[in-house]
Coordinates of all heavy atoms in Angstrom, one line a residue:
P12 N 43.0 23.7 204.8 CA 43.5 22.4 204.4 C 44.8 22.4 203.6 O 45.0 23.2 202.7 CB 42.4 21.8 203.4 CG 41.4 22.9 203.3 CD 41.7 24.0 204.2
R33 N 65.5 35.1 219.9 CA 64.8 33.8 219.6 C 64.0 33.4 220.8 O 64.4 33.5 221.9 CB 65.9 32.8 219.2 CG 65.3 31.4 218.7 CD 66.4 30.5 218.2 NE 67.0 31.0 217.0 CZ 66.5 30.8 215.8 NH1 65.4 30.1 215.6 NH2 67.1 31.3 214.7
A41 N 51.8 26.7 212.7 CA 51.7 27.9 211.9 C 50.7 27.6 210.8 O 50.7 26.5 210.1 CB 53.0 28.3 211.3
A69 N 57.1 38.6 206.6 CA 58.4 38.0 206.2 C 59.4 37.9 207.3 O 60.5 37.3 207.1 CB 59.0 39.0 205.1
S87 N 50.6 33.1 209.3 CA 51.5 33.6 208.3 C 50.6 34.2 207.2 O 49.8 33.4 206.6 CB 52.5 32.6 207.8 OG 53.2 33.0 206.7
L88 N 50.9 35.4 206.8 CA 50.1 36.0 205.7 C 50.8 36.1 204.4 O 50.4 36.8 203.4 CB 49.7 37.5 206.1 CG 48.9 37.6 207.4 CD1 48.6 39.0 207.8 CD2 47.5 36.8 207.3
E118 N 54.9 46.3 190.0 CA 53.6 46.2 189.3 C 53.0 47.5 189.1 O 52.4 47.8 188.0 CB 52.7 45.3 190.1 CG 53.0 43.8 190.1 CD 52.9 43.2 188.7 OE1 52.0 43.5 188.0 OE2 53.9 42.4 188.3
G123 N 52.3 54.1 186.1 CA 53.0 55.4 186.4 C 52.8 55.8 187.8 O 53.0 57.0 188.2
G148 N 62.1 54.5 206.6 CA 63.1 54.2 205.6 C 63.8 55.5 205.2 O 63.7 56.5 205.9
D175 N 36.1 47.3 208.8 CA 36.7 48.2 207.8 C 36.9 49.5 208.3 O 36.0 50.2 208.7 CB 35.8 48.2 206.5 CG 35.7 46.9 205.8 OD1 36.7 46.5 205.2 OD2 34.7 46.3 205.9
C190 N 41.9 53.5 211.7 CA 42.9 53.1 210.7 C 44.3 53.5 211.2 O 45.2 52.7 211.2 CB 42.6 53.8 209.3 SG 43.7 53.2 208.0
E205 N 43.7 43.3 204.4 CA 43.6 44.0 203.2 C 43.9 45.5 203.4 O 43.6 46.0 204.5 CB 42.2 43.9 202.6 CG 41.9 44.4 201.2 CD 40.5 44.2 200.8 OE1 40.1 43.0 200.6 OE2 39.7 45.2 200.7
T220 N 72.8 63.3 193.2 CA 73.4 62.6 194.4 C 74.5 63.5 194.9 O 75.4 63.9 194.1 CB 73.8 61.2 194.1 OG1 72.7 60.5 193.6 CG2 74.3 60.5 195.3
F224 N 82.3 64.5 202.9 CA 83.0 64.1 204.0 C 83.3 65.3 205.0 O 83.6 66.4 204.5 CB 84.4 63.5 203.6 CG 84.2 62.1 202.9 CD1 84.2 62.0 201.6 CD2 84.1 61.0 203.7 CE1 84.1 60.8 200.9 CE2 83.9 59.7 203.1 CZ 84.0 59.6 201.7
L243 N 65.0 73.3 202.4 CA 65.4 72.3 201.4 C 64.9 71.0 201.8 O 65.1 70.5 202.9 CB 66.9 72.3 201.1 CG 67.5 73.7 200.7 CD1 69.1 73.6 200.8 CD2 67.1 74.0 199.3
L250 N 73.5 60.2 207.3 CA 74.7 60.6 208.0 C 75.4 59.3 208.6 O 74.7 58.6 209.3 CB 74.5 61.6 209.1 CG 75.7 62.3 209.7 CD1 75.2 63.7 210.3 CD2 76.3 61.5 210.8
C258 N 84.3 50.5 209.8 CA 83.8 49.2 209.5 C 83.7 49.0 208.0 O 84.0 47.9 207.5 CB 82.4 49.0 210.2 SG 82.4 48.8 211.9
G264 N 87.8 47.1 202.0 CA 89.2 47.3 201.6 C 89.5 48.6 201.0 O 90.6 48.9 200.5
A294 N 75.0 74.2 201.3 CA 74.9 74.1 202.8 C 76.0 73.2 203.4 O 76.6 73.5 204.4 CB 73.5 73.6 203.2
E297 N 79.4 75.0 203.0 CA 79.6 76.1 203.9 C 79.8 75.6 205.4 O 80.5 76.2 206.2 CB 78.3 77.0 203.9 CG 78.2 77.8 202.7 CD 76.9 78.6 202.7 OE1 76.1 78.5 203.6 OE2 76.6 79.3 201.6
P323 N 76.1 45.3 206.4 CA 77.0 44.1 206.2 C 78.4 44.3 206.8 O 79.0 43.3 207.3 CB 77.0 43.9 204.7 CG 76.5 45.1 204.1 CD 75.6 45.8 205.1
D342 N 67.4 69.3 215.4 CA 68.4 70.2 215.9 C 69.1 69.7 217.2 O 70.0 70.3 217.7 CB 67.8 71.6 216.2 CG 66.7 71.5 217.3 OD1 66.3 70.4 217.7 OD2 66.3 72.6 217.7
G382 N 78.3 35.7 220.0 CA 77.2 35.7 219.1 C 75.9 35.2 219.7 O 74.9 35.1 219.0
P386 N 74.4 40.5 225.9 CA 74.9 40.6 227.3 C 74.2 41.8 228.0 O 73.7 42.8 227.5 CB 76.4 40.9 227.1 CG 76.7 40.5 225.7 CD 75.5 40.7 224.9
G394 N 70.0 51.0 227.2 CA 69.1 51.8 228.0 C 69.5 53.2 228.2 O 68.6 54.1 228.2

Side-chain angles (χ1 to χ4, degrees):
R33 186 172 292 276
S87 170
L88 300 176
E118 289 296 317
D175 291 287
C190 183
E205 189 176 293
T220 303
F224 288 100
L243 300 168
L250 191 158
C258 286
E297 289 176 1
D342 64 351

